[in-house]
Structures are given as structure tokens and as C-alpha cells.
Amino acid sequence: MSRGRIDKLTRGVYCSLDVLEDEFAAVTMRWPKCILSHGTALYLLGLSDRVPGNLSVSVPRGYNPQELRRIHPDMRIYRESDKLYGLGKTMVKDPMGIPVPVYDAERSIADIIQERAKGAANPQLVRDAIVGYFRKGDRDLSKLAKMCEAVGVRDELQTYLEVLT
């Protein structure tokens, strides 16, 4: 049995020294209630070419992310109701090939439209994500409409659809 050297990414999460640090995997392994969302999910889903400077994660409303905030002070943490938390959750491989939990394309589009409606999202990111979604061969407009309804941005989606068609 060979003994390789390992590096500690975070408490309870280790990797071999020849593997680059993978923040996507480290966060979701250390804090399993975190689901990569918003701009981070759009990037991992290939709907944005903007590498997120700060990760965005969604957690259940009652979850206390104190240690997560301490270790990652610039992370955007979205607390969600029981109705929304986990809605649209899927797994994708991050750039290092490690499966991580993210919200699917429809949920991520709904979330970014909601952020835009609040004035908190970059308009270019929203545009790129929606245009990228409509170019996908496996898009599901019915599911997108349901996600936007659940998140409360059905009217905003309708506006984007009118502009794109």
C-alpha cells in the first residue's frame, strides 16, 4: 500500500496534494445542506462563462451558517423556505470532475430572474443565462414556467419570453 500525502481542504475534507483545491466540492462536502445556486449554478451548468468570484449557495431557512460565513465571508448565502429549498436540486460535475449538488437550469434561471427583479443581479449575466438556456436542446419551458411560478417571478419570465420571441 503506497502512502501519498494529503492536504486538508476544510474540516473533514481532504485531497491528495496533486489535486488542485476545489472550492465547489469542499463547500458542499463540508456543509452538505449547501446547494450551489444562482450565478454559481449557472456557471456549472454552462449557462454562464463567468467564473464566480464568490460562490452562491442555498440553505434551508432554519440552518445556521455561522461557521460557513466565518470561513467564507464573501459567499452569498440564500436562506430558503421549506417549499423552495431543494426544488430543482440535481448533481453536476464541477470543473475538477467531482459531482456537486446544484439547482437545475430551470430553477437557476428562475432564481436569477428573481435577483434581477430585486435589482441585485447583473443584467448581462441574466441575459446571457436566458439566451444560453433558450439555445439548449434539452430546455423544458413548462418546467421553467413552474419554477418561475414557485419563486414568484412568472410575470418577469413572461416579459423575457416576449422580448426573445
Side-chain angles (χ1 to χ4, degrees):
M1 172 184 239
S2 72
R3 294 180 184 241
R5 295 185 46 144
I6 60 172
D7 187 24
K8 182 177 181 179
L9 294 179
T10 186
R11 191 176 83 193
V13 180
Y14 299 86
C15 72
S16 65
L17 289 175
D18 60 342
V19 176
L20 296 174
E21 184 173 329
D22 185 339
E23 191 175 18
F24 303 108
V27 166
T28 57
M29 286 180 189
R30 172 66 182 93
W31 293 278
K33 292 197 182 251
C34 288
I35 301 171
L36 299 169
S37 61
H38 296 76
T40 303
L42 292 170
Y43 170 73
L44 291 171
L45 294 165
L47 295 174
S48 170
D49 58 359
R50 297 169 189 249
V51 179
N54 301 313
L55 296 186
S56 295
V57 297
S58 292
V59 297
R61 185 164 280 140
Y63 184 70
N64 182 357
Q66 182 178 355
E67 185 179 356
L68 178 61
R69 281 195 196 283
R70 184 180 62 75
I71 294 172
H72 301 280
D74 295 330
M75 183 177 290
R76 297 196 64 179
I77 301 172
Y78 297 87
R79 294 177 184 206
E80 299 180 337
S81 68
D82 290 341
K83 176 185 142 195
L84 290 179
Y85 175 73
L87 183 66
K89 179 181 173 185
T90 189
M91 299 292 284
V92 299
K93 288 186 178 180
D94 71 7
M96 299 296 292
I98 299 171
V100 293
V102 301
Y103 280 136
D104 63 18
E106 291 78 15
R107 173 62 192 272
S108 297
I109 294 291
D111 285 342
I112 205 72
I113 290 173
Q114 181 184 49
E115 285 293 293
R116 176 70 176 125
K118 294 177 183 177
N122 179 319
Q124 188 65 40
L125 173 63
V126 176
R127 184 193 159 291
D128 291 349
I130 292 173
V131 169
Y133 179 78
F134 279 91
R135 288 185 179 148
K136 286 178 48 144
D138 62 341
R139 67 184 176 271
D140 184 341
L141 295 179
S142 174
K143 185 177 179 183
L144 177 61
K146 288 176 186 171
M147 286 295 181
C148 286
E149 182 76 33
V151 172
V153 293
R154 176 93 185 213
D155 292 342
E156 288 83 353
L157 172 64
Q158 202 60 39
T159 302
Y160 282 106
L161 291 175
E162 290 169 6
V163 169
L164 288 170
T165 56

